Amino acid sequence: MLKQSKSIILNAAQRDRMRAAGRANAALIDFLRPQIVAGVTTEEIDRAVYAWTIERGYRPATLGYQGYTKSCCTSVNEVICHGIPGPYELREGDIVNVDVTTIVDGWHGDQSETFLIGDVDDEKIAVTQCAFDCLYLAIDAITPGCAVSLIGETIVAEAHRRGFSVVREYVGHGLGRAFHQDPSIPHFPNRQSRVDRLLPGMTFTIEPMINAGSRFTRLDQRDGWTVRTKDNKPSAQFEHSILMTEQGPEILTPTADGPRPGHVFGRPNSG
Ligand code: MF3
Ligand code: CO
Ligand code: CO
């Protein structure tokens, strides 16, 4: 059974609030995109997120969230998620996921992209491509009233077909006035997701984390946040906030300049 089963179904006015939050969050990602290049430190990205957000009267949801002290997460190479911005300087050959969550008038937008820094090796390109395609395949698969497990089934099938694995410890989530709420959106099918339904008026994230090697994770014991692949192979992630409407899924966090469905990731200046 879903907790909060009434409050997670949004009416027309509430859906508009989520659209506004999602649009703002996507505009922030578009603002960051040209700044995510070799030579920039992850804390410089974090400062840009903070400044952009505060200037507009919004709040970064991660700031102060369960003791987290930054305005975004920056997850490089073998970091799966929750990488903490710091002095690390991005360099050619890295992949970095930048995950931002903006609170606009009390409502949340949450999304992330993985960025290629210059010339990246084939394994990193392939795992980034897989995470991106898995996100859009899952969005394409879902329909009003469908089981949440359709998301996990779609993602696991595609990732395994490409020889990659799907992280299980960290999942998508309901999103609204709360950062994380029901339903849980695992990127693999489980007992609960076979029961839960995506009803019109529900808002949630899909955010598959795809590992080039095994699915297993390890949490950094020193900082308590950074999640890495157990085998140190690269991992990639893309995230959108989604509204299920009576007609089907609506992406709440569409960027102007980001990769579109069907985008092919590759090396700079190659065909
Ligand atoms: N933005 C992440 C998500 O997609 C959550 C980050 S929580 C933090 O759910 F505390 F690590 F920032
Ligand atoms: Co999320
Ligand atoms: Co996020």
Side-chain angles (χ1 to χ4, degrees), residues 62 64-69 73 79 81-84 170 218-228:
T62 59
Y65 178 79
Q66 296 183 2
Y68 192 82
T69 60
C73 297
V79 178
C81 62
H82 304 168
I84 304 174
Y170 304 88
R218 63 196 166 87
L219 178 64
D220 190 309
Q221 294 304 306
R222 289 156 305 179
D223 67 29
W225 283 103
T226 308
V227 180
R228 293 186 177 80

Side-chain angles (χ1 to χ4, degrees), residues 60-133:
T62 59
L63 195 57
Y65 178 79
Q66 296 183 2
Y68 192 82
T69 60
K70 298 291 179 182
S71 298
C72 65
C73 297
T74 51
S75 301
V76 180
N77 297 333
E78 79 285 1
V79 178
I80 296 169
C81 62
H82 304 168
I84 304 174
Y88 180 79
E89 206 174 278
L90 294 174
R91 50 199 272 195
E92 175 108 358
D94 284 344
I95 58 172
V96 58
N97 176 275
V98 178
D99 190 337
V100 296
T101 311
T102 306
I103 309 175
V104 177
D105 297 329
W107 298 81
H108 290 70
D110 185 11
Q111 81 196 107
S112 77
E113 286 182 21
T114 296
F115 298 86
L116 308 183
I117 307 300
D119 198 356
V120 166
D121 72 33
D122 290 338
E123 183 180 56
K124 286 176 178 171
I125 292 173
V127 76
T128 300
Q129 185 77 58
C130 185
F132 180 80
D133 293 342

Side-chain angles (χ1 to χ4, degrees), residues 3-254:
K3 290 172 288 177
Q4 311 161 314
S5 58
K6 268 187 186 153
S7 63
I8 62 175
I9 307 293
L10 305 188
N11 65 29
Q14 293 168 325
R15 296 179 192 192
D16 280 342
R17 311 285 296 271
M18 283 298 286
R19 289 188 177 101
R23 268 198 306 273
N25 205 71
L28 169 54
I29 288 272
D30 281 326
F31 166 75
L32 295 174
R33 182 170 290 102
Q35 307 178 51
I36 302 170
V37 294
V40 165
T41 67
T42 53
E43 66 198 357
E44 286 169 341
I45 295 169
D46 188 70
R47 277 200 289 275
V49 172
Y50 181 80
W52 187 97
T53 304
I54 294 301
E55 275 166 19
R56 286 161 181 76
Y58 310 147
R59 289 290 302 172
T62 59
L63 195 57
Y65 178 79
Q66 296 183 2
Y68 192 82
T69 60
K70 298 291 179 182
S71 298
C72 65
C73 297
T74 51
S75 301
V76 180
N77 297 333
E78 79 285 1
V79 178
I80 296 169
C81 62
H82 304 168
I84 304 174
Y88 180 79
E89 206 174 278
L90 294 174
R91 50 199 272 195
E92 175 108 358
D94 284 344
I95 58 172
V96 58
N97 176 275
V98 178
D99 190 337
V100 296
T101 311
T102 306
I103 309 175
V104 177
D105 297 329
W107 298 81
H108 290 70
D110 185 11
Q111 81 196 107
S112 77
E113 286 182 21
T114 296
F115 298 86
L116 308 183
I117 307 300
D119 198 356
V120 166
D121 72 33
D122 290 338
E123 183 180 56
K124 286 176 178 171
I125 292 173
V127 76
T128 300
Q129 185 77 58
C130 185
F132 180 80
D133 293 342
C134 280
L135 170 59
Y136 283 99
L137 284 169
I139 294 169
D140 263 359
I142 58 178
T143 55
C146 77
V148 169
S149 57
L150 196 50
I151 292 171
E153 283 156 6
T154 302
I155 290 170
V156 165
E158 185 63 18
H160 289 184
R161 195 177 71 76
R162 299 190 196 190
F164 296 139
S165 65
V166 179
V167 170
R168 302 177 73 123
E169 290 88 342
Y170 304 88
V171 297
H173 49 92
L175 178 81
R177 273 170 291 208
F179 189 172
H180 294 108
Q181 64 185 33
D182 280 338
S184 175
I185 310 285
H187 306 106
F188 58 97
N190 66 12
R191 187 184 295 264
Q192 187 65 49
S193 71
R194 289 187 188 95
V195 176
D196 291 340
R197 304 281 139 183
L198 295 174
L199 302 175
M202 289 175 61
T203 47
F204 53 91
T205 72
I206 305 178
E207 48 182 298
M209 286 146 274
I210 305 297
N211 293 354
S214 86
R215 70 174 178 83
F216 297 104
T217 68
R218 63 196 166 87
L219 178 64
D220 190 309
Q221 294 304 306
R222 289 156 305 179
D223 67 29
W225 283 103
T226 308
V227 180
R228 293 186 177 80
T229 55
K230 199 162 196 176
D231 58 14
N232 284 319
K233 292 194 175 183
S235 183
Q237 178 179 28
F238 286 83
E239 174 177 27
H240 270 310
S241 300
I242 308 287
L243 164 69
M244 182 56 80
T245 75
E246 286 71 10
Q247 286 76 44
E250 175 181 330
I251 297 174
L252 294 171
T253 43

